Amino acid sequence: MRNDLHNWHPLTIEELHTLFSKIPIHWFMAGGWALDIHVGHQTREHADIDVAIYRKDQQMLYHYLKEDWVLYKAQQGVLKHWHEGEHLTSINDVWVSKRERSPWAFQVMLMDNAAEDWMYRREPSIRLEKTKVFRQTTNGIPYIKPEIQLLYKGGSSKIREQDLQDLINVLPRLDKQEKQWLEASLNKQFPEGHHWLKYF
């Protein structure tokens, strides 16, 4: 069990690309770094780094990482060992370090899907074809589309100042269709209204 949540020495995007390119699953850069990849430059400091995969691929991920990395499941603010063969059905975050007490290197977000569709777990009626969830840089690094990443940030029960900063930085760079999708998705999750909508 670990609770050193701020003990980070994250891998670089290029290092994660090298590592995950060896794993036969769909994966994408996620979080604030995914938004910066879309913008084309770093817009703020990042304490950590995130990768997203589909929940159905978790055992393949474990198989490829278990020899060289220590994997923890995030559960109610505590990080506990993720054991081989354990299927994570309701846990959405996996934290990874090189050794038992070494700094955190990266975090893996588990995304849900229904058949061939990506499914937003907080509002399962929000779905997209899996091929429409990500983009790719010219050098082959996949990243989650910015409007989807902003939905994850805006749809969280705890929206941080950096999440609002990301919205303000990225929203002007979305095209009309992407903005409309994000606005409609926030309205669907929050029919009573969402304070981000005033920025649209």
Side-chain angles (χ1 to χ4, degrees):
M1 184 181 299
R2 292 178 61 171
N3 58 9
D4 55 331
L5 303 182
H6 303 291
N7 181 21
W8 274 89
H9 185 70
L11 297 186
T12 66
I13 294 171
E14 292 73 20
E15 288 171 332
L16 281 173
H17 185 208
T18 299
L19 175 62
F20 274 79
S21 293
K22 300 172 184 176
I23 307 176
I25 60 176
H26 288 102
W27 67 277
F28 331 98
M29 294 302 304
W33 273 118
L35 296 174
D36 277 357
I37 290 173
H38 181 75
V39 170
H41 64 269
Q42 186 172 347
T43 62
R44 63 172 176 82
E45 292 298 316
H46 300 278
D48 57 8
I49 195 164
D50 306 311
V51 174
I53 71 167
Y54 286 107
R55 188 178 301 277
K56 68 180 183 63
D57 294 326
Q58 61 178 278
Q59 296 302 324
M60 184 67 72
L61 174 82
Y62 192 102
H63 173 76
Y64 272 82
L65 296 183
K66 66 178 181 178
E67 298 299 329
D68 298 315
W69 301 90
V70 185
L71 293 86
Y72 295 79
K73 56 186 179 181
Q75 191 171 22
Q76 298 178 338
V78 178
L79 296 162
K80 300 179 180 180
H81 278 288
W82 180 21
H83 298 291
E84 187 166 7
E86 180 182 6
H87 186 77
L88 306 181
T89 56
S90 58
I91 292 170
N92 304 310
D93 302 331
V94 173
W95 292 44
V96 184
S97 64
K98 196 65 177 174
R99 292 175 296 278
E100 291 284 346
R101 286 322 227 168
S102 61
W104 302 110
F106 58 95
Q107 185 176 355
V108 180
M109 319 295 288
L110 301 180
M111 301 191 306
D112 292 298
N113 68 286
E116 294 305 309
D117 290 343
W118 161 82
M119 182 175 66
Y120 181 53
R121 67 175 179 272
R122 297 170 182 146
E123 175 50 69
S125 65
I126 300 175
R127 302 184 182 194
L128 284 173
E129 293 178 22
K130 287 195 290 186
T131 57
K132 296 181 178 179
V133 171
F134 69 97
R135 293 183 177 178
Q136 201 165 44
T137 65
T138 54
N139 56 344
I141 298 174
Y143 65 97
I144 193 167
K145 284 185 174 180
E147 65 271 27
I148 298 174
Q149 182 57 67
L150 288 172
L151 176 62
Y152 276 112
K153 285 176 169 285
S156 174
S157 59
K158 182 180 180 181
I159 300 177
R160 305 160 296 179
E161 180 61 34
Q162 68 195 47
D163 299 322
L164 177 58
Q165 182 181 345
D166 286 339
L167 175 75
I168 293 170
N169 287 336
V170 177
L171 192 60
R173 299 172 183 270
L174 300 184
D175 63 28
K176 181 179 179 180
Q177 185 176 0
E178 292 163 346
K179 287 181 181 177
Q180 288 176 341
W181 183 91
L182 177 57
E183 183 177 15
S185 297
L186 286 172
N187 275 317
K188 185 171 285 189
Q189 185 182 353
F190 301 98
E192 73 284 0
H194 191 288
H195 68 276
W196 275 14
L197 295 175
K198 66 185 178 183
Y199 294 97
F200 284 74

